[in-house]
Amino acid sequence: MGRRRAPELYRAPFPLYALQVDPSTGLLIAAGGGGAAKTGIKNGVHFLQLEQINGRLSASLLHSHDTETRATMNLALAGNILAAGQDAHCQLLRFQTHQQKGKTKAEKAGCKEQGPRQRKGAAPVEKKSGAETHQERIELSVENLQAVQTDFSPDPFQKVVCFNHDNTLLATGGTDGYVRVWKVPSLEKVLEFRAHEGEIEDLALGPDGKLVTVGWDRKASVWQKDQLVTQLHWQENGPTFSNTPYRYQACRFGQVPDQPTGLRLFTVQIPHKRLRQPPPCYLTAWDGSTFLPLRTKSCGHEVISCLSVSESGTFLGLGTVTGSVAIYIAFSLQGVFLSGCCSCSVSGLLL
């Protein structure tokens, strides 16, 4: 018997590359597109309202922001500001939600509906005052802020972006191997250094100001500003395959539950080259202060494409290039959920 497929929550009209959830409003933010190629596939950022309808979670489109010829390939969220990686640039977007009162059905009779169409499944909140009836609905507006070029290789491309703990800075990495740190929201550059020979695959900013980067050169490095603190040594301490070099694919910091100052680092290691009979990928937990490995677990033979850590630090999520999703307990790295494969790769993952 095959794995049961989860019900579909949302189907984007474009290739989906990035997802974020706004914890203050509960909005699901989905981004992607077809890029500059004239294929007819649009580029955009969709803002979705999550609701419980008849005991099931539903997502309805609240607002669609057109990004013209630029597909958003990576995304980070800080309050109501989005940092969107679009080709070689980082674009800041500010979104705001507000309640708007609509007209009564009698007032709309005989004329076409104006403004945004009522979301499917959304139950209007009615307020009666005498003979008048108003319905409130959520509306959202998006404003383009600053944009800056963040990668300068011959074929420039921003691969990752993240904010620091207080959302005053953001760090970017791309195909030229440089980390660049920018003030928010001015995008004034405050730091630049070469972290890897080749592409930066992922980076993570810790609350103590430390920065972890992983690159195509098979290195994972810990930095304090532009000074190298240490490098991670996984294969020397874990499973070794003399003929199978591994590289670090993703890195994320996570809180230690019930320890306010505790910190863990989680990384994913995948085979550096694709083989006919692929060896397993690995998930590793590291001490967040000494950066020594705590435990490692095999996480299957499907190539991992992304890693996510829940806000509480309790769970880890893995997405694969074939579209399956797995959830692990962060403390023990024990698997608790594995989905079936989708028709496309998982490029963004949320917990």
Side-chain angles (χ1 to χ4, degrees):
M1 185 175 179
R3 295 172 183 148
R4 185 176 61 182
R5 293 178 66 90
E8 185 174 285
L9 180 65
Y10 163 72
R11 182 177 289 273
F14 44 67
L16 189 59
Y17 295 115
L19 294 171
Q20 289 287 333
V21 167
D22 178 13
S24 62
T25 62
L27 292 176
L28 173 62
I29 304 168
K38 296 181 180 180
T39 60
I41 300 176
K42 293 185 177 181
N43 302 296
V45 180
H46 282 188
F47 295 81
L48 304 149
Q49 183 71 44
L50 296 177
E51 300 169 304
Q52 285 280 354
I53 298 178
N54 297 326
R56 292 181 61 178
L57 190 63
S58 173
S60 51
L61 182 62
L62 186 62
H63 181 82
S64 176
H65 178 69
D66 184 8
T67 58
E68 300 177 348
T69 61
R70 304 176 306 277
T72 297
M73 304 298 293
N74 43 83
L75 200 63
L77 175 66
N80 68 337
I81 293 181
L82 287 168
Q86 299 171 348
D87 300 325
H89 294 77
C90 184
Q91 171 73 59
L92 291 189
L93 305 171
R94 178 187 286 129
F95 64 94
Q96 292 182 320
T97 59
H98 57 275
Q99 300 281 345
Q100 186 178 68
K101 291 183 178 180
K103 295 181 179 180
T104 65
K105 291 183 179 179
E107 291 172 318
K108 293 181 180 179
C111 64
K112 294 183 179 180
E113 182 180 342
Q114 302 293 322
R117 182 164 54 91
Q118 178 68 34
R119 295 177 291 116
K120 289 184 179 180
V125 179
E126 296 186 352
K127 293 184 178 180
K128 295 184 178 180
S129 176
E132 294 185 357
T133 301
H134 296 280
Q135 60 183 15
E136 291 186 353
R137 60 180 181 269
I138 298 175
E139 294 212 336
L140 186 143
S141 60
V142 180
E143 174 188 7
N144 286 326
L145 300 178
Q146 302 292 331
V148 68
Q149 185 170 349
T150 60
D151 193 81
F152 296 88
S153 65
D155 188 16
F157 182 70
Q158 177 182 298
K159 299 196 70 174
V160 61
V161 58
C162 71
F163 287 93
N164 68 341
H165 70 288
D166 61 1
N167 300 331
T168 58
L169 299 171
L170 66 84
T172 60
T175 57
D176 65 4
Y178 278 81
V179 170
R180 295 176 175 91
V181 180
W182 315 83
K183 287 185 180 179
V184 178
S186 68
L187 291 185
E188 175 189 349
K189 186 168 61 179
V190 296
L191 185 64
E192 177 182 48
F193 65 95
R194 186 160 196 174
H196 293 275
E197 297 292 332
E199 300 180 6
I200 293 177
E201 289 294 319
D202 202 4
L203 55 82
L205 279 165
D208 58 355
K210 287 189 175 64
L211 171 69
V212 176
T213 63
V214 299
W216 190 259
D217 57 5
R218 296 160 49 191
K219 294 180 180 179
S221 304
V222 182
W223 307 87
Q224 188 74 53
K225 293 187 176 180
D226 59 351
Q227 299 300 308
L228 180 64
V229 176
T230 187
Q231 289 187 340
L232 303 185
H233 299 281
W234 170 76
Q235 201 156 344
E236 297 89 332
N237 295 282
T240 57
F241 299 88
S242 58
N243 297 323
T244 308
Y246 278 72
R247 65 179 174 86
Y248 298 88
Q249 171 67 15
C251 58
R252 288 289 183 275
F253 281 106
Q255 294 183 351
V256 179
D258 302 324
Q259 295 183 26
T261 60
L263 196 64
R264 292 283 185 269
L265 175 70
F266 300 95
T267 62
V268 166
Q269 295 79 234
I270 67 173
H272 186 57
K273 296 181 179 179
R274 297 198 176 184
L275 304 174
R276 180 173 297 179
Q277 295 182 340
C281 297
Y282 288 91
L283 176 63
T284 302
W286 307 76
D287 185 281
S289 57
T290 64
F291 295 101
L292 295 175
L294 299 173
R295 57 189 63 86
T296 287
K297 183 177 179 64
S298 168
C299 48
H301 293 266
E302 295 182 40
V303 178
I304 305 300
S305 60
C306 56
L307 165 68
S308 183
V309 183
S310 65
E311 188 174 355
S312 65
T314 305
F315 297 104
L316 308 175
L318 298 180
T320 73
V321 297
T322 58
S324 61
V325 173
I327 297 176
Y328 293 81
I329 298 172
F331 172 74
S332 62
L333 302 187
Q334 178 183 351
V336 294
F337 174 80
L338 177 64
S339 78
C341 293
C342 304
S343 59
C344 60
S345 65
V346 176
S347 299
L349 185 68
L350 297 171
L351 278 178

